[in-house]
């Protein structure tokens, strides 16, 4: 009987430990599920699919801005709550550029019955888009548009032949002016890409509609002088220390140099260097102004150790909260559950003892009930015949016998404890 009681007790305790182990093993799964449910909803950033080069451009810009996104085959997914803000920011940055149909893509739809004139026109339009796509990579150029007019021969006596020409429209970054060498390089590049076209017949306009690269223009001279002075000052005093602006006309040159107040002590040296670089001549009417001003600077975001620690902890907060809640739930529910399990095990032992006790001699029954509390002994002895029960009680000391007799007149407790008692113990 002792072995049976010990086996029942061991089985109940083993089941309790198994239940607690299963609960702790489920905690990570609960945390993962909570993190997934806590993840913000995502939506497609653009209403229409993007081309591969547009998708690369958007992903590069979002990565540079530290905006979380999920790339797909033809779009990107962002936090639905930030979609409007991201679209506005991309629009202000001019991203993505309009898709340009290259020559290969333009000729992909050509069939065996397509007229040669149509093929030539599509090939010319595709080549113009290829040139515009290449010009987007020029420093200071945001976007480009190229139109090519092919050469035309005189087929009739009353017609005149015309040479090939090209028009290039450039949208420049704010405050950027292309130097004469850059404009000439663009014209040579366009002319080399079109058979029969020479650089002299390439017209280049800026975003204001003004022609670039006109020989002897004051703007071109001012751009070159401004770039030379800015380069010299950056090399001598450090980049970002000065801002140079130069304007020239047919008779004079006006030069303005803004100096950061941190280098106000270098004003005289900067003035002498600027005068020598631009060829300052006061009798000619030139103007030179050098003044110290406070430069506006945006505070840089510093990602120190605290920032990195914050970024590591915040994504784990839902999981940590779920784990903490599960631990609290286990802490609150464990005592009532253990008490109920112990109560059930004791009832099982009592029932088994009731079945076996009538067939045992009184001394054996007394030995079996040695370690049992008075209420358990009372439950077993109550099931014995009167003579056997009296003989068993005589084997107990008086104080234990009295405690057992008092409990023999009480109704047996239920198999499962009362819910209110269960909650009170919890």
């Amino acid at each position: 009987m002792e072995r049976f009681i010990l086996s029942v007790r061991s089985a109940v305790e083993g089941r309790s430990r198994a239940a607690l182990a299963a609960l702790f093993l489920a905690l990570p799964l609960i945390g993962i599920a909570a993190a997934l449910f806590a993840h913000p909803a995502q939506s497609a950033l653009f209403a229409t699919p993007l081309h591969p080069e547009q998708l690369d451009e958007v992903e590069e810009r979002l990565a540079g801005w530290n905006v979380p996104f999920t790339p797909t085959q033809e779009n990107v997914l962002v936090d639905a709550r930030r979609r409007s803000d991201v679209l506005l920011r991309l629009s202000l940055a001019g991203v993505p550029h309009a898709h340009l149909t290259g020559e290969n893509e333009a000729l992909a739809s050509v069939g065996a019955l397509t007229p040669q004139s149509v093929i030539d026109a599509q090939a010319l339009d595709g080549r113009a888009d290829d040139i515009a796509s290449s010009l987007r990579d020029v420093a200071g150029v945001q976007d480009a548009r190229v139109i090519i007019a092919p050469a035309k021969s005189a087929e009739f006596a009353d017609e005149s032949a015309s040479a090939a020409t090209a028009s290039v429209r450039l949208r420049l970054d704010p405050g950027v002016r292309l130097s004469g060498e850059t404009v000439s390089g663009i014209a040579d590049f366009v002319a080399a890409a079109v058979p029969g076209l020479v650089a002299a017949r390439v017209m280049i306009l800026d975003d204001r509609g003004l022609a670039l690269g006109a020989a002897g223009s004051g703007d071109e001279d001012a751009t070159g002088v401004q770039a030379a002075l800015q380069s010299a000052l950056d090399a001598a005093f450090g980049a970002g220390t000065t801002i140079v602006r130069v304007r020239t006309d047919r008779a004079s040159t006006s030069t303005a140099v803004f100096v950061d107040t941190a280098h106000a002590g270098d004003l005289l040296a900067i003035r002498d260097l600027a005068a020598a670089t631009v060829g300052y001549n006061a009798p000619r009417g030139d103007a030179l102004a050098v003044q110290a001003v406070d430069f506006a600077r945006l505070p840089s975001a510093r990602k120190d150790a605290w920032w990195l620690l914050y970024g590591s902890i915040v994504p784990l907060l839902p999981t940590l909260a779920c784990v903490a809640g599960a631990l609290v739930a286990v802490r609150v529910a464990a005592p009532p559950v253990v008490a109920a399990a112990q109560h059930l095990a004791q009832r099982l032992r009592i029932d088994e003892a009731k079945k076996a006790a009538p067939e045992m001699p009184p001394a054996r029954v007394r030995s079996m009930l040695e370690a049992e509390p008075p209420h358990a002994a009372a439950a077993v002895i109550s099931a014995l015949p009167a003579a056997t029960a009296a003989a068993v009680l005589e084997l107990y000391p008086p104080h234990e016998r009295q405690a057992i007799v008092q409990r023999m007149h009480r109704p047996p407790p239920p198999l499962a404890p009362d819910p209110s008692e269960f909650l009170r113990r919890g």
Side-chain angles (χ1 to χ4, degrees):
M1 185 63 186
E2 292 179 355
R3 292 182 179 179
F4 175 77
I5 294 174
L6 291 176
S7 63
V8 171
R9 181 180 299 175
S10 177
V12 173
E13 293 177 353
R15 291 176 183 175
S16 300
R17 288 195 298 268
L20 292 177
L23 179 60
F24 280 107
L25 289 176
L27 288 180
L29 298 178
I30 296 174
I32 294 174
L36 292 177
F37 282 111
H39 194 278
Q42 290 186 319
S43 63
L45 183 57
F46 295 94
T48 58
L50 299 179
H51 293 274
E53 75 279 1
Q54 294 176 315
L55 192 61
D56 293 341
E57 189 178 5
V58 171
E59 291 178 1
E60 181 180 358
R61 190 57 63 95
L62 293 181
W65 291 340
N66 291 326
V67 176
F69 68 93
T70 302
T72 62
Q73 187 175 0
E74 295 180 341
N75 213 323
V76 292
L77 303 179
V78 298
D79 187 350
R81 298 168 297 182
R82 300 186 57 188
R83 178 175 179 269
S84 299
D85 296 337
V86 174
L87 283 176
L88 177 60
R89 194 172 179 182
L90 289 173
S91 177
L92 295 176
V95 176
H97 287 95
H99 172 64
L100 297 177
T101 304
E103 189 171 357
N104 292 335
E105 185 178 351
L107 296 178
S109 60
V110 172
L113 302 179
T114 304
Q116 186 61 41
S117 59
V118 175
I119 296 176
D120 294 341
Q122 290 182 350
L124 195 62
D125 291 341
R127 185 168 302 182
D129 283 352
D130 285 336
I131 297 172
S133 179
S134 300
L135 293 179
R136 287 175 175 175
D137 296 332
V138 177
V141 176
Q142 284 189 357
D143 203 356
R145 176 69 173 166
V146 178
I147 301 175
I148 301 175
K152 182 179 180 181
S153 60
E155 298 180 357
F156 301 97
D158 57 346
E159 293 182 348
S160 58
S162 59
T165 60
S167 299
V168 180
R169 177 71 178 269
L170 300 178
R171 188 172 71 204
L172 305 178
D173 291 331
V176 172
R177 288 190 179 183
L178 300 181
S179 64
E181 291 81 2
T182 303
V183 175
S184 298
I186 292 175
D188 294 337
F189 174 79
V190 176
V194 181
L197 180 62
V198 296
R201 294 185 176 275
V202 178
M203 175 63 69
I204 303 177
L205 305 177
D206 63 6
D207 49 352
R208 300 170 299 171
L210 302 179
L212 301 177
S217 65
D219 287 344
E220 180 181 351
D221 294 340
T223 300
V225 173
Q226 177 176 302
L229 179 55
Q230 186 71 70
S231 176
L233 293 176
D234 289 345
F237 300 97
T241 302
T242 60
I243 299 175
V244 177
R245 291 295 181 264
V246 177
R247 179 180 297 276
T248 63
D249 54 29
R250 296 181 180 179
S252 61
T253 300
S254 300
T255 304
V257 181
F258 306 92
V259 183
D260 190 0
T261 52
H263 294 264
D266 300 324
L267 287 180
L268 183 58
I270 292 174
R271 180 180 179 84
D272 293 341
L273 180 58
T277 303
V278 302
Y280 173 67
N281 188 350
R284 185 180 59 186
D286 293 348
L288 175 60
V290 179
Q291 186 173 351
V293 295
D294 289 327
F295 284 8
R297 293 182 177 86
L298 295 177
S300 58
R302 296 180 57 190
K303 295 185 178 180
D304 51 13
W306 288 107
W307 174 264
L308 296 176
L309 182 62
Y310 174 81
S312 301
I313 293 177
V314 169
L316 297 177
L317 287 181
T319 303
L320 295 177
C322 292
V323 172
L327 292 177
V328 172
V330 171
R331 177 66 181 85
V332 173
V337 171
V338 172
Q342 293 175 348
H343 182 77
L344 177 61
Q346 189 178 70
R347 289 303 306 272
L348 291 175
R349 294 197 306 271
I350 293 174
D351 292 341
E352 292 295 331
K354 284 181 178 180
K355 295 178 182 179
E359 301 177 359
M360 297 180 182
R364 177 62 177 165
V365 175
R366 174 67 178 86
S367 176
M368 181 183 66
L369 299 178
E370 181 68 28
E372 297 296 335
H375 69 274
V380 175
I381 295 174
S382 298
L384 297 176
T388 305
V392 172
L393 288 174
E394 289 296 330
L395 298 177
Y396 279 91
H399 66 280
E400 293 185 12
R401 182 168 57 249
Q402 182 179 2
I404 294 174
V405 171
Q406 290 177 353
R407 286 168 173 77
M408 290 178 63
H409 298 289
R410 298 179 184 178
L415 181 61
D418 184 70
S420 60
E421 179 67 16
F422 182 83
L423 295 177
R424 186 186 66 79
R425 293 182 181 180

